Amino acid sequence: MTDKADPAYDETYDKASGKPSDKTPGKPSPVGRRVIIGMLGLGAAGIVGGATIQRAIDRALAPVSKSVSGLVPAAGGGFRFYSVVDEVKPRPPAAYTLGVTGLVKAPRTFTFADLRALGQTRITAEFHCVTGWTVPGVRWQGVLLRDLLDRVGLDPAAKALRFRSFDGAYTESLTLAQARRPDVLVATSMLGGPISHDHGGPVRLYVAPMYGYKSLKWLSGIEVVDRVVPGYWEERGYDVDAWINASNGYG
Amino acid sequence: MTGKGAGDGRRGAINMIDRFTRAERAVHHVTALLLFGCLITAAMLYIPELAAAVGRRGLIKSIHIWAGVALPVPALAGLLSKAFRGDVRRLNGFRPHDWEWLRRGDRRAVRGGRGVIPVGKFNAGQKLNAAFMAGAILVMLGTGLMLTFPDPFPVRLRTGATFVHDWLTLAIFAVTFGHLWYALRDPGAMAGMLTGRVTPEWAARHHPGWLDEQNPDPSALDTVGSSADEMS
């Protein structure tokens, strides 16, 4: 009476006509393929326009960011912890030292207690990661970098600073002019308490006007040099002068 | 929601219907395992409390990347199976009753032991789920590779890739939970995916069109013999 339905198709017999109904309405429409192509198109559009869209979402979510942090991507309120190495051995404050060397009059090593004993500066600001997430109202406390530099005294040839991390891999740089800004800290406190290991404690750099990758974590050494040496991410394509909203393709 | 008389599909092996071959089930199970690997490690990398509790970021990141890169492999390998290729064709194609299934509030209604809509081997929701997962796996693979090897890309595109990867993750979590929600409430469907076989009663309720295809209209049984062509 009739052919068995082609098992490649997804239909039954049409009782009225006695024909396999997969033939009756014509070919099935390839909705699955369209969904996949549509998603690939949206994905590509998201890659191109995502930076802009994310900013708009952040602004829209700002009033509720505290309650959705950690759930909604980059909605603010939550840090993401980045490290360029597999594992960083924690260093307790008692064992911590910061060497300031290079083109200085009197190289010196500061202990954690030394840093706490110097004049403290507090800054509260929004933290911006270059990959798009931000955290509003982060409280920092520490020694102004320029105060440390004044303690050791600079050689006339000094032009820039090179920072090292005790993760063994990360480096950063600042020009002397940038380092002397009043919003650049050698931070010993964050979010109202000690800087946690995950946040780069016990001591990290905090460069308020620049993207987070300039605020080197696990600070272990400052070398005064005669030219800017690009840091870890800067060798990998990021801008050396990482001004927020005016670098790395933003602004 | 399964046929009560026939139990959940494990008993009454005499007139069970083959639904999925070993190859089709293997594609499903390996994909599911890799997807769980991706989602669990994603949570460990992303949720601050979990990230801090678990640590070992290098190891977790490696598992995440390798599971993600491997995610399309089972489906690609599955293309060697004729049965799986047939499933892909069926999942791709939408017919009028699929739109009807999406529109109607009583899409799962059963009358006289049969679903009211002549759903084939897969219903429209299963088709959309499969298409979404296929698209999602490809987009996540693309953006994931951009984030793993960011050097050739300007920062703006890396930010865009992060944006897509993050938000699509939320959608994948939601769709995966939905998939599990419907599957776990339906022992007949679970048995179909775990053992490969279902009862005719379950098939009649959930996939009547597909059941007819396996076992044409009883009145036609006499005429549809070993070779359908002879009877035309």
Side-chain angles (χ1 to χ4, degrees), chain B residues 56-221:
Chain B
R56 309 194 65 79
R57 198 171 179 85
L59 174 71
I60 303 295
K61 185 180 154 196
S62 297
I63 296 172
H64 184 76
I65 289 170
W66 281 107
V69 168
L71 202 42
V73 173
L76 291 177
L79 292 176
L80 294 171
S81 149
K82 187 164 180 249
F84 181 74
R85 290 198 301 273
D87 283 351
V88 171
R89 269 198 299 278
R90 289 169 182 273
L91 288 165
N92 179 40
F94 254 57
R95 294 176 175 283
H97 73 247
D98 287 313
W99 298 113
E100 195 187 341
W101 190 93
L102 290 176
R103 265 198 314 272
R104 278 171 64 164
D106 64 342
R107 61 180 71 91
R108 295 180 193 280
V110 174
R111 210 164 291 142
R114 278 177 65 94
V116 294
I117 299 177
V119 173
K121 185 171 184 182
F122 303 106
N123 68 39
Q126 292 167 324
K127 291 179 181 185
L128 290 179
N129 177 67
F132 171 84
M133 284 312 299
I137 286 170
L138 292 175
V139 172
M140 293 304 269
L141 181 71
T143 52
L145 287 174
M146 284 182 70
L147 297 173
T148 309
F149 305 104
D151 291 357
F153 304 104
V155 168
R156 205 173 173 79
L157 295 189
R158 297 181 203 176
T159 307
T162 307
F163 169 80
V164 172
H165 208 77
D166 286 359
W167 283 95
L168 189 50
T169 300
L170 287 190
I172 291 170
F173 264 103
V175 170
T176 304
F177 276 121
H179 179 69
L180 288 173
W181 170 257
Y182 285 113
L184 292 171
R185 292 195 318 163
D186 185 345
M190 292 292 287
M193 188 44 87
L194 292 174
T195 68
R197 306 209 295 169
V198 295
T199 63
E201 289 79 8
W202 179 86
R205 298 173 79 90
H206 296 275
H207 300 277
W210 175 68
L211 177 66
D212 292 350
E213 203 185 286
Q214 309 297 304
N215 179 22
D217 190 338
S219 68
L221 269 178

Side-chain angles (χ1 to χ4, degrees), chain A:
Chain A
M1 172 180 151
T2 168
D3 295 340
K4 198 176 176 200
D6 179 346
Y9 292 122
D10 204 14
E11 268 304 326
T12 178
Y13 290 85
D14 183 289
K15 294 277 165 24
S17 66
K19 288 178 181 170
S21 54
D22 70 81
K23 300 265 165 58
T24 320
K27 286 186 145 190
S29 47
V31 169
R33 191 189 310 157
R34 286 182 197 142
V35 167
I36 294 172
I37 291 170
M39 288 180 69
L40 292 175
L42 276 177
I47 292 170
V48 173
T52 310
I53 302 166
Q54 184 69 64
R55 295 201 159 218
I57 292 171
D58 289 346
R59 272 195 295 277
L61 286 179
V64 293
S65 64
K66 285 280 188 285
S67 52
V68 296
S69 70
L71 293 176
V72 177
F79 278 92
R80 299 189 201 178
F81 299 99
Y82 293 161
S83 165
V84 299
V85 298
D86 282 356
E87 215 171 351
V88 182
K89 200 164 172 281
R91 195 167 288 190
Y96 179 84
T97 57
L98 170 63
V100 184
T101 58
L103 301 172
V104 296
K105 294 199 173 103
R108 192 174 152 186
T109 299
F110 295 89
T111 65
F112 187 80
D114 291 341
L115 295 173
R116 294 295 289 191
L118 293 169
Q120 301 286 298
T121 297
R122 288 188 180 81
I123 297 174
T124 300
E126 189 168 38
F127 190 87
H128 290 264
C129 177
V130 71
T131 60
W133 54 267
T134 63
V135 183
V138 183
R139 287 174 292 156
W140 300 85
Q141 182 187 320
V143 187
L144 279 181
L145 181 53
R146 67 179 179 201
D147 289 349
L148 275 192
L149 297 178
D150 291 343
R151 297 254 154 190
V152 294
L154 296 187
D155 188 282
K159 291 278 187 300
L161 302 180
R162 185 160 163 73
F163 302 90
R164 286 202 173 73
S165 166
F166 63 80
D167 72 0
Y170 202 83
T171 55
E172 256 309 333
S173 69
L174 286 177
T175 66
L176 264 194
Q178 290 164 359
R180 287 196 167 283
R181 287 177 59 107
D183 50 4
V184 176
L185 291 182
V186 171
T188 52
S189 167
M190 176 185 178
L191 301 167
I195 303 176
S196 71
H197 178 69
D198 289 333
H199 277 304
V203 178
R204 70 179 288 179
L205 198 61
Y206 176 57
V207 183
M210 295 195 180
Y211 286 113
Y213 65 88
K214 296 300 282 192
S215 293
L216 171 142
K217 307 208 294 190
W218 304 297
L219 178 65
S220 68
I222 301 173
E223 186 186 359
V224 183
V225 290
D226 59 1
R227 66 194 166 84
V228 170
V229 181
Y232 182 91
W233 284 119
E234 291 143 26
E235 285 172 356
R236 290 159 178 79
Y238 287 73
D239 289 351
V240 176
D241 297 322
W243 306 108
I244 292 167
N245 289 332
S247 67
N248 293 300
Y250 293 114

